Amino acid sequence: MGVEPGGPLRGMPSEPGPLARHILSLADTKRLLGIRYSDWILGSPSIETGIAASSMAQDEWGHARLLYSMLKRLGFDPVAVEQDRPAERYYSAPALDDPFPDWAAFVAAAVVVDGALAVALESFSHGNFALARSRVPKMLAEEEYHRQFGTAWFARLAGAGGEGAEHLEKAARAMLPSTLAWLLPDDSAYAALVAECGIREAGWVRARCEDRVGAALAGVGIRLEEIRAERVGWDRERRRGPGAPREEAVERARGDRNRALFVE
């Protein structure tokens, strides 16, 4: 979009505060997860799973839009935030930087990344930011279908053994360290967010994540309490590890190719 990686963006303060960074982290992750889910509307194991992938993608995009709209209260232009940022200015979880190579990775992400997102949202809804308290509970109600779908498929692939279970375990293990770091950034900005907005502290978040996704992961021999967050090359501004989503996915998320067709 012609924006320098470290330069100012239209409608976005040069140094977002802790709350804005938290909202961007949630919204960008949902936006990219929706893109990754949509890749499997065709090519999933059945028509029914393709329909489920479509439904889950639409949920994520709708949730992202609601989260971006909260930024207006903080002095941002939500439209500019959605449409003008290059990939290297995204705050999304690193596990979504690349497409899912197979259905097992889709299922792993539905448990690991979607589960972490739900925990982060639950924490956010318990804080004192009024828009989160009013809007996030509905998102969490819709996320329950994602949890049921993900855990059911995870158990199915894990129980079948063989190549499917191997791919599932490999994908989950690859996603977990960076996703835990994204969920619990362990930096001063997160501590400031806890103090400013009253969201849940790190210990609660970690325990809730273990409770939500730990049982599913145990099906392929993964003990979540033994997985450590990976913060090598940590980017404090974007609250994630190095790298960025593929530009192609961000172009799709921004709607670049169809922007000229929009009619006011």
Side-chain angles (χ1 to χ4, degrees):
M1 298 299 289
V3 179
E4 292 298 325
L9 297 175
R10 179 176 68 88
M12 182 171 171
S14 58
E15 294 185 6
L19 178 56
R21 289 163 62 191
H22 191 59
I23 293 171
L24 283 165
S25 180
L26 294 170
D28 287 352
T29 299
K30 279 191 163 290
R31 197 178 202 190
L32 263 294
L33 184 57
I35 290 292
R36 298 310 179 202
Y37 281 160
S38 74
D39 292 338
W40 287 86
I41 293 174
L42 298 177
S44 57
S46 66
I47 292 176
E48 291 76 15
T49 50
I51 292 171
S54 174
S55 176
M56 291 162 68
Q58 291 179 69
D59 284 344
E60 300 299 354
W61 291 329
H63 297 171
R65 179 60 58 86
L66 285 172
L67 288 161
Y68 287 128
S69 71
M70 294 180 187
L71 293 169
K72 190 172 185 179
R73 184 72 61 87
L74 305 179
F76 289 64
D77 175 356
V79 175
V81 170
E82 286 195 66
Q83 296 183 358
D84 287 357
R85 284 179 301 147
E88 60 267 20
R89 294 296 293 273
Y90 265 61
Y91 290 59
S92 50
L96 305 176
D97 285 357
D98 297 312
F100 302 147
D102 52 34
W103 182 249
F106 179 110
V107 173
V111 170
V112 173
V113 183
D114 214 336
L117 259 171
V119 171
L121 284 171
E122 186 177 353
S123 169
F124 196 29
S125 72
H126 286 285
N128 56 31
F129 186 52
L131 291 178
R133 292 183 66 89
S134 63
R135 296 180 182 179
V136 170
K138 186 175 186 298
M139 298 183 201
L140 290 171
E142 293 172 347
E143 283 285 339
E144 180 59 19
Y145 172 74
H146 300 202
R147 185 191 67 80
Q148 293 177 4
F149 181 87
T151 56
W153 262 98
F154 203 99
R156 180 176 180 178
L157 291 178
E163 186 175 348
E166 291 176 4
H167 284 212
L168 185 66
E169 180 184 358
K170 180 180 178 181
R173 287 191 183 277
M175 293 175 183
L176 277 166
S178 65
T179 301
L180 289 175
W182 169 87
L183 177 63
L184 293 166
D186 193 29
D187 62 12
S188 58
Y190 188 79
L193 181 66
V194 171
E196 175 186 349
C197 299
I199 67 169
R200 302 294 195 182
E201 294 185 351
W204 182 94
V205 173
R206 176 76 190 218
R208 184 72 178 113
C209 186
E210 290 176 358
D211 179 63
R212 181 181 175 92
V213 307
L217 295 173
V220 289
I222 297 175
R223 292 173 55 85
L224 185 56
E225 62 271 21
E226 296 176 354
I227 303 295
R228 296 291 174 260
E230 183 179 86
R231 299 188 180 89
V232 177
W234 188 251
D235 184 333
R236 286 183 175 272
E237 179 191 344
R238 296 187 300 143
R239 282 185 46 183
R240 53 159 288 160
R246 290 192 183 185
E247 186 65 38
E248 178 271 338
V250 174
E251 288 176 357
R252 289 165 58 196
R254 290 189 307 239
D256 290 359
R257 296 180 184 179
N258 298 317
R259 190 85 52 79
L261 304 179
F262 290 174
V263 179
E264 297 292 340

